[in-house]
Amino acid sequence: MGAVCVCIPAMPVCQAVGISVTPTSIVLTAPEASQQVLVTRNVADRAVDLTRQATYESADRSIALVSANGRVRPVGAGTTEIRISDGLDTVRVVVDTRGIADPSPVSFHADILPILSKAGCNSAGCHGKAEGQNGFKLSVFGFDPVADHRALVREGRGRRVLVTAPAHSLLLRKASGDAPHGGGVKVEPGGRWYRQIARWIAEGAHYEGESAAAIQHIVAEPRDIVMAIGDTQQLRVMATDLAGETRCVTAEAEFYSNMEDVAAVDPDGLIAVTGVPGEAAILVRYRGHVAVTRVMLPQADVEFPRPPENNFIDRLVWDKLQQLGIRPSDLADDATYLRRIYLDVTGRLPTVEDVRHFLDDPATDKRARLVDELLDRDEYADYQVLRWSDILRVDKSELTPQGAVAMTRWLRQQFQQNTPYDQFARQVVVAQGNVFEEGPAGFYQVHADGKSMARAISQVFLGVRIECAQCHHHPFEKWGERDYFAFAGFFSGVRGANGPTGGHKIVSRGGAALKHPRTDEEVATAALGAPPATFADTDDRRQVLADWMTAPDNPFFARMIANRTWAHYFARGLVEPLDDLRDTNPASNEPLLGALARHLVAADFDVKSLTRTILNSRVYQLSSASNASNQLDGQNFSHAAWKTVPAEVLLDAISQVTDVSADFNGWPRGYRAMRIWDNLMPSYFFRVFGRPARVSVCECERGSEPTMAQALHLMNSPELMLQISHRDGLTRRLSDSDRSADEIVDLLYLTAVSRFPSDQEKNLMRQAFQESIDRRTATEDIMWTLLNTREFVYNH
């Protein structure tokens, strides 16, 4: 296994009165080995890391040295001790160094490849990109060790590695800055990595074989941390090989934070928290293995009066907020709630009559009744059709207009009759037939090969992004190339043919296991994390996949749609990105995501029932106005988010408010933008406001960030001005009526932002009537102003 540092696997600690040190003893068995020490003190019922604050002293510096960061390295053979003090207590740790003069050979797999990965040499931005860099190419993240060894030792006319003169090897000269290198200095001259690479070269730069250095798993410690503002926490990473031996690999491990707003981590594994309360997952990667440390940063001294609970969602969100010391906001007022739920569920604004009726209704259950009413409207189905047309890539350029219309009609039928989600997904997975006929067969015309089909199905319905594993081990997950080709084998029988009456026909019969592209070994078809599949009872291999995928106990399926549904109504998933579910990207509230998935399964995959539960929760009804404790919270749903409105929904809202329809070339006047199936419809508004081209199954393709171009368009668009000033529009009718200025202002506010104006706003708008040359100009100016407010453009 190369340079080895052996320590006690169970990680006991050496304790004094007030501090604890891990490990209790250290054994170093190679000149380049190292061991990270952790020093903690229990303060107020939590462990505080003192690793970077403690002082270290080696009793015999000729045997071992220890850095100010608590990393021990050998100098010579023998036994000594390291004295560790935090100023109050002192702990002694015995260090035994062996094999320093006559060490085991350096392992290319265990020692050299991790250095190349940690230094970034084999990243996609350096020598790991497809074409390499300056004639030198490495496999991404070291997924192909044989090719990497060949590139280092045999290619480049043998200059990269000089066995007879290691110091003159280009590998060392460029990495250490001794020769010009575009990537800068990657290895400290004379440092531990430099010495290890030099020793490997001097020993013959051998390739010992992959199995000789295989490891079982890695562990990052500590695994769960509660921190306070100003704290730091040093991590330690231990790798266990097939023989059960454990060594410290902290120096070579790579560290990433999934929430840097809460906690960041440096290349040495030191976590530093910000002032933003929340949770972060620190991903640790080493030689294709991953581990996770979870960091919680609560606010101190925050009272938490527990709000009422409408259902289990509230209970689980309050539990998490209580842990973090974050108080939720108050409920949104009726007007805000009404506008929010209309836009979220139907993709349109409430009418003036809707607003007046809801605001005047004194019933305590009016919000629950409104949820039921909106979920039964055709507009709910229309909005779901729009969303799933994006996800399933209903692309006119790939399907032809007839195919796009057929698939759109099928989608509308599914949502109008509230098809259970497991049945909906099964129909997509096993789709066959002519793409001109109503059905989901067009999905397999857009994704024209088995590998593309596998990637899309996995991401859409399982939330697993396996695309990376097509070429190398997934950098943040357990999936490798074998998993990828095993899953793609389900689609090996899918092919296209010309239909007898025109159109493209999808058929699926037979199929075979795929071969591993590097080894040419046949890979048995299998679902993700499942044993090899059998196909004795079906000629369509996808039927077996659909059975596995839609099973109630599937570990991905229900969680994925629960997370996707939650993300639509809260502008962020419990897991982000919403279709990237993995152990190394945990949910911000894991108990809640699990409960939502179980709720969906218990409801026989009725997504409308899940939606009803979400909308009836108090969490959904919270105000977007923050309080002192939650103003920095962006992941725990302590207050409502300001959500961008999709391009089609916003354009329909403008048409509804002005009462003047937008024109779409070739479409009947009055057609809603949301119902236009043509994803290639030429529209500057669509382009500026982020309507997706449907080239990806990721919802992230839809633009969700505000831009300067959007603001300028709303302020200066000739089309918008024509809608505002149209002779048949709302502003003209109001200005020509005998209504008072106050009545006109009330109606404009009710129409555009679904509420009455405040006294201050009404006084300001009265001035518009007083200072304008006529009522028409004043009315148009007020309408233009409202359409350009953040309150109109966003849903909050």
Side-chain angles (χ1 to χ4, degrees):
M1 193 170 178
V4 175
C5 162
V6 179
C7 64
I8 300 170
M11 312 315 296
V13 295
C14 188
Q15 295 185 334
V17 176
I19 63 171
S20 301
V21 175
T22 311
T24 57
S25 61
I26 299 171
V27 178
L28 303 172
T29 61
E32 304 87 7
S34 68
Q35 173 66 58
Q36 178 65 56
V37 171
L38 299 183
V39 183
T40 60
R41 177 183 287 275
N42 288 326
V43 178
D45 297 326
R46 69 183 184 91
V48 176
D49 179 52
L50 301 176
T51 305
R52 296 295 179 102
Q53 288 75 46
T55 59
Y56 305 89
E57 182 183 1
S58 173
D60 189 338
R61 295 173 60 86
S62 67
I63 295 177
L65 295 176
V66 58
S67 71
N69 296 340
R71 194 163 293 170
V72 182
R73 64 179 180 85
V75 178
T79 301
T80 186
E81 67 177 20
I82 302 295
R83 291 188 286 270
I84 304 168
S85 174
D86 71 339
L88 298 175
D89 300 296
T90 300
V91 172
R92 290 171 171 80
V93 175
V94 175
V95 179
D96 184 8
T97 62
R98 307 167 188 170
I100 306 303
D102 185 24
S104 300
V106 175
S107 163
F108 180 72
H109 282 86
D111 301 316
I112 304 304
L113 282 180
I115 293 174
L116 297 178
S117 295
K118 182 68 175 275
C121 304
N122 57 21
S123 69
C126 196
H127 297 288
K129 60 186 177 183
E131 66 276 16
Q133 184 81 8
N134 294 331
F136 178 33
K137 174 174 170 50
L138 294 170
S139 63
V140 180
F141 307 127
F143 80 89
D144 191 348
V146 175
D148 291 342
H149 185 268
R150 183 173 59 247
L152 286 167
V153 176
R154 299 179 185 176
E155 296 176 2
R157 293 179 291 179
R159 295 181 304 151
R160 293 183 183 133
V161 170
L162 298 176
V163 175
T164 56
H168 293 283
S169 301
L170 275 181
L171 174 61
L172 274 176
R173 294 189 63 212
K174 287 200 168 189
S176 64
D178 185 47
H181 181 219
V185 176
K186 296 295 185 181
V187 174
E188 179 188 356
R192 191 171 67 87
W193 284 358
Y194 183 99
R195 297 195 307 274
Q196 193 156 37
I197 296 172
R199 183 158 73 90
W200 172 69
I201 296 172
E203 291 170 349
H206 295 300
Y207 181 85
E208 76 284 359
E210 198 165 345
S211 61
I215 60 174
Q216 289 184 0
H217 63 270
I218 65 171
V219 175
E221 297 178 331
R223 297 186 63 177
D224 294 285
I225 314 166
V226 178
M227 301 179 70
I229 295 175
D231 280 357
T232 60
Q233 174 66 60
Q234 176 65 50
L235 293 180
R236 184 173 70 146
V237 185
M238 307 301 296
T240 302
D241 65 17
L242 296 178
E245 289 191 354
T246 302
R247 70 165 177 166
C248 179
V249 294
T250 309
E252 288 74 35
E254 300 167 79
F255 304 90
Y256 307 88
S257 172
N258 76 334
M259 189 60 61
E260 293 196 347
D261 289 344
V262 175
V265 61
D266 73 6
D268 290 324
L270 181 70
I271 301 171
V273 293
T274 67
V276 179
E279 271 194 326
I282 306 299
L283 168 68
V284 183
R285 183 175 69 195
Y286 175 75
R287 292 181 55 200
H289 293 261
V290 291
V292 174
T293 287
R294 298 199 66 160
V295 179
M296 177 180 287
L297 177 63
Q299 291 187 111
D301 303 322
V302 175
E303 292 185 7
F304 190 88
R306 200 170 177 93
E309 298 172 7
N310 293 354
N311 54 38
F312 70 88
I313 291 175
D314 299 328
R315 173 174 52 82
L316 294 171
V317 172
W318 302 161
D319 286 348
K320 186 59 176 290
L321 293 178
Q322 190 167 16
Q323 282 182 307
L324 294 170
I326 299 174
R327 293 194 311 275
S329 295
D330 296 329
L331 285 179
D333 60 58
D334 281 346
T336 300
Y337 170 81
L338 180 70
R339 184 177 190 272
R340 178 191 302 169
I341 197 170
Y342 260 85
L343 286 172
D344 279 346
V345 176
T346 68
R348 66 181 306 159
L349 294 170
T351 65
V352 172
E353 292 72 23
D354 291 330
V355 178
R356 290 187 185 277
H357 174 74
F358 191 75
L359 297 183
D360 291 341
D361 187 350
T364 57
D365 66 340
K366 64 180 181 181
R367 294 192 177 190
R369 286 189 286 106
L370 179 63
V371 169
D372 291 338
E373 176 192 338
L374 296 183
L375 289 176
D376 284 340
R377 288 194 180 185
D378 287 341
E379 289 93 337
Y380 166 78
D382 290 342
Y383 203 172
Q384 296 303 313
V385 170
L386 173 66
R387 296 182 60 228
W388 280 93
S389 293
D390 292 347
I391 296 167
L392 297 180
R393 293 186 58 193
V394 181
D395 180 3
K396 185 182 78 170
S397 64
E398 298 286 344
L399 297 175
T400 73
Q402 298 97 313
V405 169
M407 197 163 174
T408 302
R409 286 176 174 170
W410 175 79
L411 283 170
R412 181 165 287 106
Q413 182 184 46
Q414 303 310 302
F415 292 110
Q416 284 177 335
Q417 64 190 25
N418 194 32
T419 300
Y421 181 71
D422 56 340
Q423 297 178 29
F424 170 84
R426 174 181 287 275
Q427 291 181 73
V428 175
V429 172
V430 303
Q432 296 195 65
N434 198 312
V435 298
F436 285 2
E437 299 172 355
E438 289 187 19
F443 178 83
Y444 288 104
Q445 182 165 328
V446 174
H447 301 280
D449 63 84
K451 296 173 186 176
S452 174
M453 298 168 193
R455 295 194 297 266
I457 291 293
S458 177
Q459 185 170 344
V460 169
F461 294 115
L462 304 175
V464 179
R465 298 182 176 187
I466 61 170
E467 183 172 3
C468 292
Q470 180 177 358
C471 299
H472 55 82
H473 198 288
H474 193 298
F476 304 131
E477 214 0 331
K478 61 185 177 182
W479 312 120
E481 289 173 286
R482 293 187 63 85
D483 300 296
Y484 178 90
F485 288 98
F487 192 77
F490 285 110
F491 304 93
S492 58
V494 180
R495 65 183 186 277
N498 292 323
T501 59
H504 196 72
K505 185 178 181 181
I506 303 298
V507 295
S508 179
R509 287 193 298 272
L514 301 182
K515 290 186 176 181
H516 194 292
R518 287 194 293 122
T519 66
D520 206 37
E521 173 191 0
E522 189 175 88
V523 181
T525 300
L528 297 174
T534 57
F535 306 101
D537 300 328
T538 180
D539 194 39
D540 185 351
R541 298 164 74 89
R542 301 173 304 166
Q543 293 283 357
V544 177
L545 173 62
D547 290 342
W548 169 83
M549 187 177 77
T550 59
D553 60 350
N554 184 283
F556 310 104
F557 184 67
R559 287 169 60 87
M560 175 58 207
I561 187 57
N563 193 56
R564 190 187 293 279
T565 305
W566 181 274
H568 174 69
Y569 294 103
F570 288 91
R572 130 172 221 106
L574 290 158
V575 174
E576 278 291 325
L578 67 87
D579 53 6
D580 190 13
L581 275 60
R582 48 187 163 86
D583 291 341
T584 52
N585 186 33
S588 60
N589 191 326
E590 182 57 43
L592 176 56
L593 181 56
L596 291 170
R598 291 189 296 273
H599 177 70
L600 181 63
V601 171
D604 295 325
F605 290 98
D606 183 346
V607 175
K608 191 176 284 189
S609 174
L610 173 67
T611 302
R612 183 177 291 106
T613 301
I614 291 173
L615 298 179
N616 279 319
S617 70
R618 186 180 177 94
V619 175
Y620 176 76
Q621 301 176 41
L622 294 177
S623 170
S624 60
S626 59
N627 56 47
S629 75
N630 71 12
Q631 58 185 347
L632 297 178
D633 176 41
Q635 65 176 150
N636 297 291
F637 313 103
S638 58
H639 55 87
W642 285 76
K643 298 175 284 192
T644 54
V645 176
E648 300 90 333
V649 175
L650 183 60
L651 186 54
D652 282 341
I654 292 172
S655 297
Q656 180 179 340
V657 171
T658 60
D659 200 21
V660 178
S661 300
D663 288 327
F664 302 108
N665 186 31
W667 291 74
R669 188 165 184 81
Y671 217 86
R672 293 183 66 204
M674 183 184 292
R675 298 200 64 179
I676 292 179
W677 52 262
D678 185 358
N679 62 304
L680 301 180
M681 165 67 65
S683 167
Y684 182 74
F685 189 96
F686 284 166
R687 187 166 70 253
V688 168
F689 283 89
R691 192 188 200 203
R694 295 177 181 168
V695 298
S696 165
V697 297
C698 182
E699 287 195 67
C700 59
E701 188 188 347
R702 179 175 287 276
S704 60
E705 295 296 326
T707 66
M708 183 61 70
Q710 293 172 0
L712 291 174
H713 181 76
L714 287 177
M715 288 190 289
N716 302 301
S717 166
E719 293 83 4
L720 179 60
M721 292 309 301
L722 285 174
Q723 286 180 285
I724 292 174
S725 60
H726 198 281
R727 66 175 182 270
D728 296 325
L730 176 64
T731 51
R732 181 69 63 89
R733 293 201 306 273
L734 290 178
S735 61
D736 290 348
S737 71
D738 57 1
R739 296 179 184 272
S740 67
D742 282 0
E743 289 176 319
I744 291 175
V745 171
D746 283 347
L747 283 170
L748 290 175
Y749 269 81
L750 288 169
T751 304
V753 292
S754 307
R755 65 173 175 84
F756 286 98
S758 66
D759 291 341
Q760 182 180 5
E761 289 169 330
K762 184 169 287 189
N763 288 334
L764 185 62
M765 297 308 167
R766 285 175 183 146
Q767 294 180 25
F769 282 95
Q770 296 166 2
E771 297 172 2
S772 294
I773 57 176
D774 54 39
R775 280 167 55 94
R776 182 180 302 171
T777 301
T779 306
E780 291 176 357
D781 286 348
I782 295 172
M783 174 70 83
W784 180 90
T785 299
L786 288 172
L787 295 183
N788 277 277
T789 59
R790 183 172 183 242
E791 186 175 0
F792 177 77
V793 176
Y794 283 80
N795 183 10
H796 64 99

